[in-house]
Structures are given as structure tokens and as C-alpha cells.
Amino acid sequence: MKKIALVLSAFLLTAPALANQGFYGELSLGSANNEIETDYSYDYNSDSLGDVQIGSDSGTLKSSGNSTSYGVRLGYQFNEYVTAEIGYHQYGTWDDTFVNENNETIKDQAETSATSVGIKGVLPLSKDFSLFARLGSATWDIKTSSSDVSAPAQVKNQKQDGTDIYYGIGGEYNINKRFSVGLEYTVLNIDWDNSYGNGNDDIGYSNEFEGFTSNSGSINNLALLLKVKF
């Protein structure tokens, strides 16, 4: 009888912990604010029939825009406070038009997505409501295009990828034992560098051009969440 009582007591003590364990899926839909800042510098050297031109230039270009984002996560909850997650987010396509230092009207367009792995820390405030924070690593991909409005057919396309840290905060409300809704704000900062150059040497004419860009961007995403426990 005592053994039965001990087993029953152990089950009752571990039942709450077991109830907080298991897999879940989560969908997100939101709005992303995207910003890219590019620091550039270049040197050139040309000789046309003895007319030699040597120079350099540098500056900063900024571009920003908003887009619709969506994503999906799969997670495993170890206990009431800690979960591990993998996810995929598509941050949408956005464009920006601005006038550069040469008084040219430039149209930029970008599309960003990311695959992430991270942890989620949960702080329960009541039976049905909790706050949370996310932290992890995101492998991102960005496709950009840039063109002069006066020559839209001449488009410069680029594709970059990398891995950077993401973080976020939010809140979650349990509708019932399986479903919950939430709101989160996440930040993903991305960085990459480019170097480029060209040159040619013909009779009576030569030209050399070398440049470097340092790019930094941020994706600030505000999203609604729908989570289901499996």
C-alpha cells in the first residue's frame, strides 16, 4: 500500500512537468521594417591618348522599406521555462527610390529570407499568459537589384548570404490546452562586404577601376503568432 502511495505521489509531482513537455508548431504573419546602409569607396585610373585621369571617391548610401513577412517554427518544450526551436522566415520584398550624389534617381529592391535555430525562454505570469524572449543564429539570404530610373533596363543584380544573431521579445496567451496566440518583435542584423574591379588595355586607351563596399542591414519584424501543441 505504501509503495502504491509513493508511486502515485511521484506521478502527481511530475505530471505538471510532463504537461509542459512536447513538440509544437507556430505560424507567424507580420510587417518587417528593412534598412540597408552601404559604405563605398573606389579608385580609378584611365589614360586616353595621353589624357590621364586618376581619382577616387567614397560615400554612404541608405535604403529602407516595409514588407509583409511570414514564417513557420517547430519547437520542443523541455519544461515550463525553456524551449528549442528551428524556423524559416520570409521577410518579403521591398523597394526604395532615392537620388544619389550624382543626381541620379536610383531604385533599389531587396528580398530577404532566413533559416534559424535558437532557444526561447518563457516567463509565466499567470496560468494562461506568459512573456518570452528569443535568441539564436539565423542563416540569411538577400537578393538585391538596383537600377537608374532613366535606364530601367540596366539592372544590377546581387545575391548575398551569411549567418548572424537574431533576438526578440513577445507575449503569449493560451486559448486552451492546444492553441495559443501571441505577439512578438524580433531583430535580425546582417553584414556583408563586396570588392569589385575591372580593367582593359587597348591601343591608345587603358582603364582600371577598383572598389569596395561594406554593407550593414537590419530587419525589425512585428508579427502575430498562432501556436499549436502536438
Side-chain angles (χ1 to χ4, degrees):
M1 191 70 180
K2 289 183 179 180
K3 291 182 179 181
I4 296 176
L6 288 172
V7 171
L8 184 59
S9 298
F11 175 78
L12 292 175
L13 288 172
T14 58
L18 294 173
N20 290 316
Q21 291 180 347
F23 288 96
Y24 64 87
E26 185 176 78
L27 301 176
S28 71
L29 178 65
S31 176
N33 176 260
N34 308 269
E35 297 180 354
I36 294 178
E37 181 173 308
T38 301
D39 295 322
Y40 67 89
S41 62
Y42 62 85
D43 301 302
Y44 62 88
N45 184 343
S46 65
D47 183 354
S48 178
L49 299 176
D51 181 14
V52 179
Q53 294 187 3
I54 300 175
S56 62
D57 195 9
S58 62
T60 300
L61 300 176
K62 296 182 179 181
S63 183
S64 62
N66 296 319
S67 57
T68 299
S69 66
Y70 60 89
V72 59
R73 289 188 180 101
L74 176 65
Y76 182 81
Q77 188 160 347
F78 295 100
N79 52 48
E80 191 176 7
Y81 305 103
V82 180
T83 72
E85 300 177 322
I86 59 173
Y88 173 79
H89 282 79
Q90 172 59 251
Y91 293 107
T93 302
W94 57 275
D95 56 63
D96 187 23
T97 303
F98 61 94
V99 178
N100 66 10
E101 74 282 0
N102 298 319
N103 205 33
E104 300 168 327
T105 302
I106 304 299
K107 181 179 180 180
D108 284 345
Q109 189 174 76
E111 179 182 359
T112 312
S113 61
T115 302
S116 61
V117 177
I119 59 173
K120 175 184 174 184
V122 182
L123 177 62
L125 297 183
S126 69
K127 178 182 176 182
D128 294 320
F129 182 74
S130 60
L131 300 178
F132 63 80
R134 285 187 161 105
L135 177 67
S137 175
T139 299
W140 51 266
D141 177 284
I142 183 170
K143 302 173 184 177
T144 62
S145 64
S146 182
S147 63
D148 190 331
V149 173
S150 63
Q154 300 178 14
V155 181
K156 182 186 295 183
N157 295 310
Q158 292 187 6
K159 182 178 179 180
Q160 301 291 334
D161 56 61
T163 301
D164 286 287
I165 299 298
Y166 76 90
Y167 57 91
I169 58 173
E172 186 174 281
Y173 178 77
N174 296 324
I175 300 174
N176 52 43
K177 292 183 178 181
R178 288 198 63 197
F179 293 93
S180 62
V181 293
L183 179 69
E184 72 169 1
Y185 179 77
T186 58
V187 177
L188 171 60
N189 294 316
I190 60 177
D191 297 280
W192 74 96
D193 297 326
N194 285 329
S195 59
Y196 52 91
N198 58 52
N200 54 61
D201 192 359
D202 296 326
I203 298 176
Y205 177 79
S206 65
N207 178 63
E208 295 181 355
F209 181 91
E210 293 184 348
F212 178 82
T213 64
S214 177
N215 308 273
S216 61
S218 66
I219 305 169
N220 304 282
N221 190 50
L222 180 66
L224 296 173
L225 308 174
L226 175 63
K227 186 174 90 173
V228 56
K229 295 180 181 179
F230 300 134

